[in-house]
Amino acid sequence: MKKAVMILVLVLISASLNVPITHAEVRKVTNDEMILFTTTEQMLLSFIEPKVEELVQEEYGMRMPWRFVQVNEVKHVAKIKEPTSWYELKTVIAVGEKAKKKYDNLTLKFTNHYNNDKNFMKNMSDINFELLDYKNDVKVDFATPWSKYPDNSEIKFADVNTFYE
């Protein structure tokens, strides 16, 4: 067993040393292109957007305008005793037009089968989505900044000289 692990480590090290040297391709942006920089959160949301569109239609029985407002939590859950894992996303979406807009909470679970699949990431449609929770018309307090941390805006702190005495 120890020999197998040692051989595996040596193979991984030698594979990392044989990485071909590549040169970055620099291309000029044309007038018909626009580069938009994005966050990882925005990339994740764009990935699950088609599924959320389906869920909103199912929930309201018709197509409704909606948009992501905020992401409350993203976590990767892995089972220890079996090789399975999934992602969970808790988010707030705004549904409806401006005058009739309301906020919904959505908890979505999505899995990929790369642990058991020989064709790793060959087909993105193999990802399974499951709705864990959908709450309509929730109260969302956007006025509270840093909602994950206690608000200390009302606390009176000692001035610098007093603090360092």
Side-chain angles (χ1 to χ4, degrees):
M1 180 68 177
K2 288 183 180 181
K3 287 183 181 181
V5 172
M6 191 117 140
I7 290 172
L8 180 63
V9 169
L10 289 174
V11 168
L12 290 174
I13 291 173
S14 66
S16 67
L17 295 176
N18 293 326
V19 175
I21 298 173
T22 60
H23 299 286
E25 179 184 332
V26 178
R27 69 178 178 87
K28 185 177 179 184
V29 178
T30 62
N31 289 339
D32 61 339
E33 291 179 324
M34 182 183 347
I35 295 177
L36 302 171
F37 294 96
T38 188
T39 64
T40 54
E41 184 177 282
Q42 289 169 326
M43 200 162 75
L44 171 66
L45 295 178
S46 70
F47 168 70
I48 66 167
E49 189 172 346
K51 185 60 183 179
V52 175
E53 175 72 29
E54 283 179 27
L55 293 170
V56 170
Q57 283 185 28
E58 287 175 17
E59 187 69 25
Y60 289 92
M62 61 184 202
R63 189 165 191 186
M64 296 283 290
W66 68 275
R67 67 178 176 83
F68 288 108
V69 176
Q70 72 183 31
V71 173
N72 293 333
E73 182 179 71
V74 178
K75 60 184 171 184
H76 186 190
V77 181
K79 292 276 189 175
I80 296 174
K81 293 185 178 182
E82 52 189 85
T84 184
S85 67
W86 63 88
Y87 296 92
E88 288 182 16
L89 170 79
K90 293 182 181 182
T91 185
V92 176
I93 59 173
V95 181
E97 297 294 333
K98 289 183 180 181
K100 299 178 182 178
K101 180 172 41 176
K102 59 183 183 173
Y103 297 100
D104 294 351
N105 276 345
L106 178 73
T107 303
L108 189 65
K109 172 183 175 180
F110 53 101
T111 60
N112 52 13
H113 298 290
Y114 67 86
N115 288 330
N116 301 323
D117 190 5
K118 294 178 182 175
N119 300 318
F120 173 68
M121 292 299 283
K122 184 175 182 180
N123 191 352
M124 293 293 279
S125 66
D126 289 340
I127 296 173
N128 294 330
F129 291 93
E130 180 183 340
L131 179 64
L132 297 179
D133 189 31
Y134 196 111
K135 293 181 183 166
N136 286 329
D137 202 14
V138 297
K139 300 294 180 206
V140 181
D141 185 16
F142 295 116
T144 307
W146 299 97
S147 61
K148 290 185 178 181
Y149 303 100
D151 181 18
N152 64 1
S153 61
E154 300 297 321
I155 298 174
K156 302 295 182 201
F157 293 100
D159 66 274
V160 175
N161 295 328
T162 307
F163 179 78
Y164 283 107
E165 282 178 1

